[in-house]
Amino acid sequence: AQSVTQPDIHITVSEGASLELRCNYSYGATPYLFWYVQSPGQGLQLLLKYFSGDTLVQGIKGFEAEFKRSQSSFNLRKPSVHWSDAAEYFCAVGARGTGFQKLVFGTGTRLLVSP
Amino acid sequence: DVKVTQSSRYLVKRTGEKVFLECVQDMDHENMFWYRQDPGLGLRLIYFSYDVKMKEKGDIPEGYSVSREKKERFSLILESASTNQTSMYLCASSEAGSSYNEQFFGPGTRLTVL
């Protein structure tokens, strides 16, 4: 079965600084990978996804993520953080060939943005 | 604009009560999901449905049941609520397909069981 680890529970970044949120997955083949964001009081919104092909994927709100098979990682990055990026971020993995679109989510990383 | 709505944002119930959480989507999606979200545990899948009257257990189905009588509506039922079911409940929906399609989430229902 697939699993996801987000090793950082909280991260604080200064506004304008760069951001990297870590995600490691466990799965025997190439998985489907996702990053979702949850703003306070809101549901989750998809930022980006990786299925195949180019290992650097671009998402909404200026985010990108890079799939590294050798490290089983799918880290989320943003070159310059804005105060509105303060939220909780979830990495998720889906298994291929199951017939159902079942995702396994990580435990989340809460991003705090300081002035 | 796509939309998933949940019947209540906040709900307070007593131990032993039967609780219904309702979810409606207006996107004609085949798949619907119920998750619970707890601090430090992320989102865990309770049940999902890929068609009307069809359901599949997720990772933590114990103590829950679901109902999907119409395509747009997916209900989560707590037959006899317990304090350990105090949590945030999120509903989601997605299109069917051979690949993984984006799941659209509702705003959540924060349930407190006293």
Side-chain angles (χ1 to χ4, degrees):
Chain A
Q2 66 271 39
S3 65
V4 177
T5 301
Q6 293 181 249
D8 303 306
I9 299 173
H10 297 103
I11 282 187
T12 300
V13 174
S14 298
E15 191 168 15
S18 64
L19 169 71
E20 183 168 23
L21 301 182
R22 296 184 289 167
C23 171
N24 293 97
Y25 69 88
S26 173
Y27 183 61
T30 301
Y32 296 100
L33 294 162
F34 305 80
W35 274 100
Y36 280 84
V37 61
Q38 185 180 33
S39 298
Q42 305 292 318
L44 277 70
Q45 180 184 19
L46 180 68
L47 284 175
L48 48 78
K49 60 187 179 185
Y50 172 78
F51 284 4
S52 64
D54 193 347
T55 56
L56 184 64
V57 293
Q58 302 297 322
I60 62 170
K61 305 185 180 187
F63 286 91
E64 66 178 27
E66 186 171 11
F67 170 60
K68 293 186 177 180
R69 184 192 307 274
S70 61
Q71 299 176 18
S72 297
S73 70
F74 188 57
N75 294 348
L76 182 71
R77 301 193 295 247
K78 187 171 185 178
S80 178
V81 167
H82 187 262
W83 63 266
S84 60
D85 293 323
E88 190 154 23
Y89 292 80
F90 293 93
C91 182
V93 61
R96 293 178 184 268
T98 61
F100 299 119
Q101 298 182 13
K102 176 185 167 185
L103 293 178
V104 174
F105 285 82
T107 53
T109 298
R110 185 168 297 279
L111 173 65
L112 305 172
V113 180
S114 60
Chain B
D1 196 19
V2 298
K3 208 163 188 181
V4 178
T5 56
Q6 296 184 229
S7 51
S8 305
R9 291 300 299 270
Y10 300 93
L11 208 54
V12 180
K13 295 293 182 180
R14 298 269 178 206
T15 301
E17 280 192 79
K18 190 169 186 176
V19 181
F20 293 87
L21 302 183
E22 305 286 341
C23 175
V24 177
Q25 50 97 2
D26 65 0
M27 297 165 281
D28 202 34
H29 285 168
E30 291 78 11
N31 301 323
M32 296 189 75
F33 307 82
W34 274 107
Y35 296 90
R36 64 176 282 176
Q37 181 180 9
D38 300 287
L41 296 177
L43 276 73
R44 293 177 292 166
L45 182 65
I46 304 171
Y47 268 97
F48 62 101
S49 169
Y50 53 91
D51 201 351
V52 174
K53 298 190 185 295
M54 305 304 288
K55 60 184 179 184
E56 290 286 335
K57 292 181 179 179
D59 298 316
I60 52 164
E62 296 78 20
Y64 304 94
S65 62
V66 291
S67 172
R68 194 165 179 202
E69 297 296 320
K70 293 185 178 181
K71 189 176 186 180
E72 67 271 18
R73 188 180 297 269
F74 191 35
S75 302
L76 180 69
I77 303 157
L78 288 65
E79 294 289 341
S80 178
S82 64
T83 55
N84 63 12
Q85 292 178 309
T86 292
S87 186
M88 171 70 86
Y89 290 88
L90 294 171
C91 175
S93 72
S94 70
E95 290 181 354
S98 58
S99 182
Y100 276 80
N101 295 311
E102 178 178 356
Q103 290 188 21
F104 293 87
F105 283 81
T109 295
R110 186 167 293 283
L111 172 66
T112 302
V113 182
L114 302 177

